[in-house]
Amino acid sequence: MSAIEVGLPDGRSLELPAGATVLEVAERIGAGLARAAVAGRVNGQLSDLRAPLRESAALEIVTTRDAAAGEVLRHSAEHLLADAVKRLFPDAQVDVGRSDHSEKFQYDFQVERPFTPAELEEIEALMGRIIKQKLAFERVVVTREQAERIFREQGETLKLARLADIPEGQEITLFRHGDFVDLCRGPHLRHTGQIGAVKLLEAAGAYWKGDESQPMLQRIYGTAFASQRELDVHLKQLEEARQRDHRRIGQQLELFTFDALSPGAPFWLPKGMVLYNGLIDFVKSLYPKYGFDEVMAPQLFRSALFRTSGHYDEFHEDMFWFSSDEDDGELGIKAMNCPAHCQLFALGKRSYRELPLRWAEFSRLHRNERSGVLSGLTRVRAFAQDDAHIFCEPEQVESEIGRFFEMLREVYGALGLSGVQVSVSTRPEQGFLGAVEDWERAEQALIAAVQNAGFECAIKKGEAAFYAPKVECDFRDTLGRIWTLGTIQFDMAMPGRFGLRYIGRDGREHEPAMLHRAVLGSIERFLGIYIEHTGGDFPLWLAPLQVLLLPIADRHQTYAGKLVATLRAAGLRAAVDDRAEKLNYKIREAELQKIPVMCVLGDREQQDGTVSPRYRRAGEHRDSALAMDAFVADLTGRVTRKEA
């Protein structure tokens, strides 16, 4: 039997016979490690403990202290869900689970009717009993014919269809515990008893394979942890997330709404448009400081543009297309700005004296997202980006990335966002444009630029888009979730595909470097994230309504009218609540609307020409009375300085 070499994280290596399992390697290292082992990480990819190692590889043993252990645990609990459903509903057809088990698990089932809440409780209880049985998970390698026979005998037609999707020559593995068996790559725990606690969260409809023309299945979501305490903490976080759900807050604050007539496209209400435009206007106000010029390209293009850029082949299904007359041919609705900006650059002769050229655009973009992945503002079909493209000399790339970080710090500071972590996403293994050596040079340039900007640089191996390595700025929100916001990409393909050239300092033609830059990304997605992070409690400068005046009685209405006119003349967004309601009720309503400043106006304020403002972000602190002019000056100063 041939030998293989297994490289360990501490730099040591072990020689083992080919076919040795991950668990056998752990046992070779030490009994304690083997007892704590949950899975392996082979060349960076999670692998089952029972999986054989057929080639030399780098191996890390994943133990219960590793964050990935939770993914393995939830993946294992996912199989318990399908097992319990099949025991309680023998006629149910089992489809597949999910690939991301970082927080939850799911399975899709074809059943006659949706699951009821009482049935979910029954399924969950049965899962608990299966856990106590400590049934071993068994990994079985089978031929395609063996797998077909097993699922045909079980009457699992959906599973047979999934089996047919596995490419010829790829290894087919099943995982079995007790009488339940499913098509799966793993990894899984050693036995069901290692699952500490489970909770089923909800059931919802989902089209098979996400295709609206296919049958509607029933999807059950759940989560699992190593202990009940960990589960309780997670459920508390989920409840807080539910309270902060941007769709809920958007309705409460009258910011936006959705309608089935336009799936994946929000209807922005007046208050929401103040928020939306306020964000865009703020970013645009920084263009002169950071050297950006605004451009606008058309919404419709002949397919030739996207064939040149490479998007026609790599992104075709994610765009909207339609046929026009014979002259126009196939037309695509713009899903990204970069091809059009390349076309603009190519319109004239360029010199190094013009560079860097920094072009920004906020026009509408449309992407053909599948209905199954649409999610409020965070995944839409219609959106705008704070998008920009920088054409520069290669030696200017590092300084341009430095300017990007300067702008990012200024924008995030005004929005109260902190603790950004920066990483570089590197070349995917397949399907990338350009030469490998160009990618490697670009990746090293990005890493150096990030480090020179004062950030530690993490690496996201193989996660770049098909056309460019990328700097990603990840932000951790109030609930501990990580979101990628700002990005800058070093495009290694598009300038060459469009034949872009400039006359260099040596009088010869050169290909420009091209950077794709976004500080916020999609405005819709950013606002969805930001609403949940702030709970709708926006900083004063951005709030749709900044000041609400509350006259105590009818005799104070005239003074309130004079004050609101003064505030509006100063450019502040102010209103008067003159409803015939009790004062405490109106104060409570203003608190629910998260209005930054409230002013109760009574006899004293009217007589003295003053206000006693209550600032929401100062813990309901009531300042001493201010003269009207001083109050207006204070507010306008806070807005100008982008204070909370």
Side-chain angles (χ1 to χ4, degrees), residues 61-329:
I61 303 299
V62 175
T63 69
T64 52
R65 291 185 293 182
D66 193 307
E71 299 178 34
V72 178
L73 185 147
R74 281 180 280 280
H75 191 177
S76 302
E78 194 170 70
H79 280 229
L80 269 63
L81 166 60
D83 183 11
V85 168
K86 285 295 290 184
R87 294 191 196 192
L88 294 170
F89 305 90
D91 293 333
Q93 288 274 317
V94 180
D95 190 29
V96 291
R98 64 190 284 124
S99 57
D100 178 8
H101 298 95
S102 56
E103 291 189 354
K104 57 189 174 182
F105 59 80
Q106 70 189 46
Y107 248 110
D108 292 352
F109 304 95
Q110 189 171 45
V111 288
E112 291 184 357
R113 56 173 177 76
F115 295 105
T116 67
E119 288 168 341
L120 291 185
E121 291 180 7
E122 191 177 1
I123 295 166
E124 184 182 301
L126 180 52
M127 291 174 68
R129 294 196 292 274
I130 297 171
I131 288 172
K132 292 179 180 178
Q133 293 175 0
K134 296 185 178 180
L135 300 173
F137 285 102
E138 180 186 2
R139 180 180 184 271
V140 185
V141 179
V142 295
T143 65
R144 187 176 298 272
E145 293 73 22
Q146 288 171 325
E148 287 177 349
R149 184 172 65 253
I150 289 170
F151 293 120
R152 189 175 294 110
E153 288 174 355
Q154 294 179 351
E156 295 284 356
T157 56
L158 295 182
K159 198 63 65 177
L160 288 169
R162 293 291 184 176
L163 178 63
D165 291 339
I166 298 177
E168 288 293 336
Q170 184 172 313
E171 184 178 70
I172 297 173
T173 56
L174 308 178
F175 272 85
R176 184 191 308 275
H177 69 270
D179 294 330
F180 179 79
V181 64
D182 198 8
L183 191 65
C184 184
R185 288 191 298 267
H188 288 289
L189 300 172
R190 297 192 214 186
H191 61 80
T192 62
Q194 292 177 284
I195 302 170
V198 297
K199 178 67 179 177
L200 297 186
L201 303 172
E202 62 176 332
Y207 291 108
W208 190 53
K209 293 188 174 183
D211 186 342
E212 295 177 17
S213 66
Q214 296 293 339
M216 174 72 76
L217 307 183
Q218 291 300 308
R219 176 174 295 170
I220 297 178
Y221 294 96
T223 191
F225 286 85
S227 69
Q228 186 64 47
R229 184 188 64 80
E230 291 176 86
L231 175 60
D232 290 341
V233 169
H234 180 73
L235 293 177
K236 183 178 179 181
Q237 291 173 335
L238 287 181
E239 176 57 25
E240 186 175 354
R242 190 187 70 81
Q243 293 295 327
R244 287 175 173 265
D245 190 308
H246 70 276
R247 291 162 293 192
R248 177 178 176 275
I249 293 175
Q251 293 289 327
Q252 176 188 327
L253 301 186
E254 300 176 332
L255 302 176
F256 58 85
T257 188
F258 286 90
D259 193 287
L261 290 173
S262 184
F267 289 74
W268 289 95
L269 303 174
K271 290 180 182 178
M273 282 307 299
V274 173
L275 185 69
Y276 196 95
N277 287 332
L279 198 59
I280 291 176
D281 290 345
F282 171 49
V283 173
K284 285 185 177 183
S285 73
L286 299 176
Y287 285 174
K289 178 177 180 180
Y290 292 99
F292 286 94
D293 291 309
E294 195 168 3
V295 297
M296 182 176 288
Q299 286 287 312
L300 291 176
F301 289 94
R302 290 178 175 173
S303 62
L305 178 76
F306 302 109
R307 291 180 190 275
T308 300
S309 70
H311 289 95
Y312 191 91
D313 294 326
E314 300 290 340
F315 209 74
H316 187 273
E317 292 186 0
D318 297 304
M319 294 177 63
F320 290 102
W321 301 91
F322 64 94
S323 297
S324 183
D325 58 36
E326 292 182 2
D327 292 333
D328 289 334

